[in-house]
Amino acid sequence: MSSESKKGWRKIPIGGVIAQGGTAREYKTGEWRNFIPVRDKGKCINCMICWVYCPDFAIRADQGQMVGFDLNYCKGCGICTTVCPVKCIKMEKEQK
Ligand code: SF4
Ligand code: SF4
């Protein structure tokens, strides 16, 4: 999130209450990332375990197939690397 789009304290609801659902969509956690997941497509068995475990819903899927990462939201935590049963995801230092 750029500094221009951050809310000042006067615009935060009293008590920091989150009054609506789906607000996490506004927070592009990909900006936090230092490491980026890279998948070896040839080894992937499309089990979708990474999709289940990703805390940021950043595994992209289409018709039951893992098709990549949503880098707007992937924060580079590496959980997908840990849970992948065939170890076809590795984390690489991201060039910024
Ligand atoms: S590195 Fe973390 S946030 Fe990114 S796709 Fe893997 S589990 Fe999701
Ligand atoms: S956990 Fe590994 S094998 Fe399973 S869909 Fe994800 S990348 Fe592919």
Side-chain angles (χ1 to χ4, degrees), residues 58-74:
I59 302 292
R60 292 177 51 226
D62 186 36
Q63 305 202 5
Q65 306 281 300
M66 195 285 201
V67 295
F69 303 96
D70 185 339
L71 297 178
N72 282 325
Y73 298 101
C74 167

Side-chain angles (χ1 to χ4, degrees), residues 39 44-50 66 83-86 88-89:
R39 179 181 62 137
C44 176
I45 57 174
N46 290 299
C47 65
M48 303 309 292
I49 290 175
C50 56
M66 195 285 201
V83 299
C84 176
V86 294
C88 70
I89 304 174

